[in-house]
Amino acid sequence: MRKVVLYIATSLDGYIASPDGSVEWLPTPPPNEDYGYGNFLATADATLQGRATYEQVLTLGDWPYPTLTNYVFTRRPPTEPAHPSVHFVTEDPVSFVSQLKQQEGNTIWLIGGSMLAAPLLAAGVVDELMLFIVPQLLGAGIPLWRAQPQPRPLVLLNQQAWPDGMALLHYQLPAQESQQAVGRSAQQ
């Protein structure tokens, strides 16, 4: 079964974007440093994005994920043409991603945002969290975390810090009964 990894940068106070949705506060990596992004990207063959995240990515220049299959969840698919690798999804994210995990393939990268991540986390379809903590306090913005229906224990897989203050916390989310039930029903 494929795994879903929420791989995301957050400010130390838990924001993934400024109040206007921009990410200009994210630092430019030092020369010859990508904080392991290239290695992670080489493991993925699909992305999951909410509509706001997709629109933010579009402002950064050329489409950065042309070799991946990109699923953008939205209530209103745009009328303008998208990159051929982009597929707009209007169905329930939990059902869609649960089925996607059953297909052959590599890591599924949950890029964001928090409105998409929250129901996927609550349903137990996210397998790992890779949180890059940016050493900044934004004070306000779009929060990484949305309310969850119950506490979830995490298992620390790895941690790493860089001289510029960036830090990676890599966690595994133990399987929930609801996710295990989805997997069993998909196999029957």
Side-chain angles (χ1 to χ4, degrees):
M1 180 184 329
R2 298 166 81 178
K3 67 180 177 181
V4 174
V5 177
L6 174 58
Y7 179 98
I8 197 164
T10 181
S11 65
L12 188 59
D13 53 353
Y15 296 104
I16 57 173
S18 299
D20 65 359
S22 65
V23 291
E24 78 288 338
W25 56 274
L26 288 172
T28 303
N32 302 316
E33 180 61 72
D34 72 352
Y35 306 113
Y37 173 77
N39 289 336
F40 171 77
L41 192 58
T43 70
D45 65 359
T47 72
L48 307 172
Q49 303 169 51
R51 175 75 179 267
T53 299
Y54 168 73
E55 289 178 356
Q56 179 63 40
V57 170
L58 289 177
T59 69
L60 303 176
D62 292 338
W63 183 245
Y65 316 116
T67 62
L68 305 179
T69 303
N70 302 277
Y71 300 100
V72 177
F73 293 84
T74 181
R75 290 182 184 92
R76 303 171 325 307
T79 56
E80 68 274 1
H83 189 275
S85 68
V86 175
H87 306 276
F88 294 100
V89 180
T90 57
E91 62 189 90
D92 174 64
V94 172
S95 297
F96 182 90
V97 175
S98 294
Q99 292 172 11
L100 185 63
K101 286 180 69 168
Q102 301 302 318
Q103 298 174 7
E104 290 293 320
N106 296 326
T107 298
I108 303 166
W109 175 17
L110 173 53
I111 294 176
S114 61
M115 295 296 286
L116 176 60
L120 297 175
L121 282 164
V125 297
V126 177
D127 302 290
E128 295 178 17
L129 303 174
M130 293 183 75
L131 304 178
F132 282 87
I133 311 299
V134 178
Q136 289 192 37
L137 298 172
L138 294 184
I142 297 173
L144 169 58
W145 305 115
R146 304 288 174 162
Q148 292 291 301
Q150 62 190 24
R152 296 281 309 277
L154 305 174
V155 176
L156 183 65
L157 297 177
N158 186 29
Q159 60 188 351
Q160 186 171 354
W162 286 267
D164 62 359
M166 289 287 287
L168 164 67
L169 297 174
H170 184 178
Y171 293 100
Q172 180 178 38
L173 287 89
Q176 287 183 305
E177 181 55 36
S178 62
Q179 174 56 27
Q180 293 167 355
V182 168
R184 285 192 299 269
S185 66
Q187 292 173 352
Q188 295 175 353

